[in-house]
Amino acid sequence: MTLSSDASDIWTSQDNDSNFIVEEIKEDIKLLTNNAKKINIENAQEVVDTIINSEKIIISGYYQSYSFAHWLFFNLNYILGNTSLYRPEIDARVLEFLPKKSSVILFSFYRYALDTIRLAKDAKMKGIKIIAFTDSRVSPIVEYADHIILVSLENASIFRKGPVTLSIINSLLYEIIRRIDGVEEISPTFKYFIKENQYDKKSGD
């Protein structure tokens, strides 16, 4: 990616101490880099395998985690077409009707919403695969999860978890797309979705 001259000047300016936007972006990049170094690739591939092989996927997150859950739900359902966003007011018994090969993806960050833990416990009792995004190996959800995606915040502000979590989510989505691209059953709409940039270049838009 090539920065515009204006953007490049801002990034390299000697007066960056007064440019709060640049400084905060740099802090996000630093945290992203540290998380990238800690990612367990084998575990990430197992997460992708679990998602692709699931007949049905339920995603849940409360409070700030709802935005992560919704982003993953929207894009994963667009790709696979078998994903639902858990809504406690209407989905109280949803786990009872899931196919045998299903999975639940949960986002559980400090302060660890109790409803997320209860959902994990219920899913575990029913033998449903659980993928958990969390910020600590000793968080309450760990004992129920089959796969852990650890988002390391390194004592940073809770606002820092947004860019890191979304970046990890997007990395998993790209791998899922890469793995299933070329499968005959994929709809034309999805093929347009994954080749959007190529389409734009050809059309000149």
Side-chain angles (χ1 to χ4, degrees):
M1 180 178 70
T2 302
L3 295 173
S4 68
S5 57
D6 289 344
S8 180
D9 289 344
I10 292 172
W11 189 260
T12 59
S13 171
Q14 297 298 315
D15 195 29
N16 275 347
D17 286 344
S18 63
N19 191 330
F20 69 93
I21 293 178
V22 169
E23 292 307 309
E24 294 306 322
I25 290 174
K26 284 183 177 180
E27 288 300 313
D28 284 342
I29 291 173
K30 187 186 304 180
L31 196 56
L32 279 163
T33 301
N34 291 338
N35 272 265
K37 293 176 181 177
K38 297 177 181 179
I39 289 290
N40 183 318
I41 300 302
E42 183 178 344
N43 178 62
Q45 290 290 357
E46 290 175 354
V47 168
V48 171
D49 288 339
T50 298
I51 292 172
I52 290 176
N53 293 324
S54 294
E55 294 180 46
K56 182 71 176 178
I57 302 165
I58 303 295
I59 301 178
S60 178
Y62 285 80
Y63 309 120
Q64 284 184 321
S65 294
Y66 179 82
S67 58
F68 308 138
H70 189 274
W71 177 259
L72 179 57
F73 149 70
F74 179 85
N75 289 287
L76 197 55
N77 192 56
Y78 200 96
I79 296 167
L80 300 177
N82 63 349
T83 307
S84 297
L85 185 64
Y86 181 76
R87 297 177 58 184
E89 69 274 18
I90 60 174
D91 291 335
R93 299 180 60 195
V94 68
L95 298 182
E96 298 178 20
F97 304 102
L98 290 181
K100 188 174 182 179
K101 288 183 64 177
S102 295
S103 61
V104 174
I105 303 176
L106 303 173
F107 292 85
S108 182
F109 296 100
Y110 182 81
R111 306 176 176 255
Y112 311 116
L114 289 177
D115 287 339
T116 305
I117 307 302
R118 294 190 189 104
L119 183 60
K121 185 177 181 179
D122 289 346
K124 188 73 171 181
M125 291 175 62
K126 291 176 171 59
I128 300 168
K129 289 283 187 181
I130 300 170
I131 299 167
F133 286 75
T134 191
D135 53 7
S136 172
R137 294 192 182 279
V138 295
S139 71
I141 205 166
V142 167
E143 67 174 292
Y144 304 110
D146 297 285
H147 303 289
I148 299 293
I149 299 292
L150 188 64
V151 180
S152 177
L153 297 178
E154 303 172 2
N155 298 317
S157 163
I158 59 171
F159 294 112
R160 299 286 180 206
K161 71 184 177 187
V164 180
T165 306
L166 288 171
S167 182
I168 295 173
I169 289 171
N170 286 344
S171 298
L172 295 173
L173 288 169
Y174 277 120
E175 178 61 11
I176 291 168
I177 289 171
R178 187 190 69 79
R179 294 265 295 273
I180 68 173
D181 188 16
V183 176
E184 292 181 2
E185 303 87 76
I186 295 176
S187 69
T189 304
F190 173 69
K191 286 185 178 292
Y192 171 79
F193 174 72
I194 64 176
K195 298 183 183 300
E196 189 175 33
N197 289 337
Q198 294 173 334
Y199 178 86
D200 288 345
K201 289 176 182 177
K202 291 178 182 178
S203 64
D205 292 339

